[in-house]
Structures are given as C-alpha cells and as structure tokens.
Amino acid sequence: AQSVTQLGSHVSVSEGALVLLRCNYSSSVPPYLFWYVQYPNQGLQLLLKYTSAATLVKGINGFEAEFKKSETSFHLTKPSAHMSDAAEYFCAVSDIGTSYGKLTFGQGTILTVHP
Amino acid sequence: NAGVMQNPRHLVRRRGQEARLRCSPMKGHSHVYWYRQLPEEGLKFMVYLQKENIIDESGMPKERFSAEFPKEGPSILRIQQVVRGDSAAYFCASSPSAGPNTGELFFGEGSRLTVL
C-alpha cells in the first residue's frame, strides 16, 4: 500500500520568505504525486501534479515541487510567501494499479503567513 | 460553469438518525468520488462511482454506509444509524475521465456532519 508523510503539521513564515512544505511518499513503483490546497471551509484545489514527465513541476500561484526519486520526496516550495497563501496543503499519491482518481493523502500542513 | 455542488453544507443529526449527503458533479463529469476528512486528519478515500455503477468501494465502512450515483440526479452518500464517530467533513470530487494522468479531481466545498 502507498503512503504519504507530510513533515510538520504547522509551518509559519513571514510574508516574503521562502515557503517549504515537505512530503515523502512510499511506493513500490513510480507514483503520480499531487499537491492540493484547501482554504477555510472550501474544497481542495489542485496546485500541481507530477506524472513522470519533468521532475520539476510548476503549479499555480507561484508554487513548484521537485520529484526526487532517490529521496522519495516531493517537497513544495514558493520563493516568496504572500498573505493569501495561508491555507492547508495536502500532498497526495495516486494508487498505482488503478487508472482513476483514488488518492492517498497526507495529514496536511497548515501554512501561516505573518505580516 | 458551476463546480461540484454539495448539499447540505452543514448537517446535524442525533445518534441513530440517518444522514444523506448529495453531490452534483461538474458538468460533463461522469466520475464521482467521496472522501471523508476526520478532525486533524487528511482525506480518506471512500468510494468511486460512475453513472449507475460502484467501481471501487474499498474505503467504505462495511456497515451503515452506502453510496449511489443514479442515471438521473446527484450522487448520494447515505449513512444509517449515525454515531458520533461519523462526525466529519465529507467531500465529493468529480473528474471527466479515467485513464493515465488521472488524479486531478475537482472538489466540492464539503458537507460537514455533526452527530450529537
């Protein structure tokens, strides 16, 4: 079975600072990996996805993530945080062996941005 | 273009009552997924449906929970004889197709169930 671990349930940064949200996965085969963002009282929105093409994936709102097979990681970064980035972020992996949207999610990381 | 619509947004039930949660997928989407988010946890897959068919219900509790996606109308997640442990946010998601690169799901805003 696949799994996802997000290191740090809460991350706090200052506006303008680098954002780094960590995600490690466990999978016996190359997975598809995703980052979703959830704003308060809303559903999840896809930020970016890795599907075995380029290892550096660019997403919306200036976020990007790099797939590192040797480290089984897919960390999310943004060079300069904005107040509007405050939200909860979920890393997810697709269930290999299926061809549909059955995802395994991490526990989530709440990002707080200070002025 | 309306997104995934879920209702009710908030539902309060007493132990032993039934809860029905509805989900209308995005226009043109024929695949529906239900996920549950317990407090302090990530989302857990429950069930995947296409029109009139349950494709994968491996995440559904064996008792009291059922889901359907009829030919006409929304998908419904039904919880019978609710217990306090059922209190959670239930998210519906839809996608336009299955196949490689699937994983981009479009989520509704969720239905938050509180069991007293």
Side-chain angles (χ1 to χ4, degrees):
Chain A
Q2 297 180 313
S3 66
V4 174
T5 301
Q6 292 183 237
L7 300 176
S9 58
H10 291 79
V11 170
S12 180
V13 300
S14 298
E15 191 173 19
L18 171 71
V19 175
L20 171 60
L21 304 182
R22 299 177 187 275
C23 172
N24 289 87
Y25 68 91
S26 171
S27 175
S28 58
V29 296
Y32 295 153
L33 293 159
F34 309 86
W35 275 99
Y36 279 83
V37 60
Q38 183 181 28
Y39 297 101
N41 297 315
Q42 294 188 23
L44 279 70
Q45 178 184 3
L46 181 69
L47 269 180
L48 49 80
K49 62 180 180 182
Y50 166 77
T51 55
S52 73
T55 57
L56 182 61
V57 181
K58 294 186 182 300
I60 62 172
N61 300 338
F63 284 93
E64 63 182 36
E66 185 173 7
F67 172 69
K68 292 187 176 180
K69 182 179 178 181
S70 61
E71 298 177 8
T72 61
S73 69
F74 190 57
H75 301 331
L76 181 71
T77 60
K78 181 174 181 178
S80 177
H82 192 272
M83 296 295 288
S84 61
D85 295 326
E88 188 162 17
Y89 293 78
F90 291 94
C91 182
V93 60
S94 64
D95 193 353
I96 295 297
T98 65
S99 59
Y100 51 87
K102 180 180 180 181
L103 303 180
T104 298
F105 284 88
Q107 306 93 314
T109 298
I110 296 174
L111 175 66
T112 303
V113 182
H114 297 288
Chain B
N1 185 16
V4 177
M5 303 300 292
Q6 289 189 247
N7 69 82
R9 292 291 308 279
H10 300 275
L11 183 64
V12 179
R13 286 287 179 266
R14 297 188 179 281
R15 282 179 296 170
Q17 292 183 319
E18 178 180 287
R20 286 195 178 211
L21 311 177
R22 296 173 187 79
C23 169
S24 296
M26 285 184 69
K27 187 176 182 180
H29 288 193
S30 59
H31 302 257
V32 166
Y33 311 82
W34 286 93
Y35 283 79
R36 177 165 66 173
Q37 184 178 32
L38 294 168
E40 307 298 324
E41 295 186 17
L43 279 74
K44 305 289 187 189
F45 169 81
M46 299 182 75
V47 62
Y48 162 47
L49 311 103
Q50 296 178 22
K51 283 287 188 181
E52 300 185 277
N53 288 302
I54 297 173
I55 308 301
D56 182 342
E57 56 181 347
S58 59
M60 289 277 274
K62 294 289 184 269
E63 298 178 348
R64 302 187 296 108
F65 284 72
S66 62
E68 63 177 9
F69 189 15
K71 185 176 181 180
E72 300 291 338
S75 175
I76 295 175
L77 179 66
R78 181 185 181 199
I79 311 171
Q80 295 178 289
Q81 300 174 0
V82 297
V83 301
R84 290 208 175 117
D86 297 333
S87 295
Y90 292 83
F91 288 94
C92 174
S94 69
S95 68
S97 65
N101 297 328
T102 301
E104 181 170 2
L105 303 180
F106 295 81
F107 282 84
E109 294 183 334
S111 292
R112 283 158 179 80
L113 172 66
T114 300
V115 180
L116 301 178

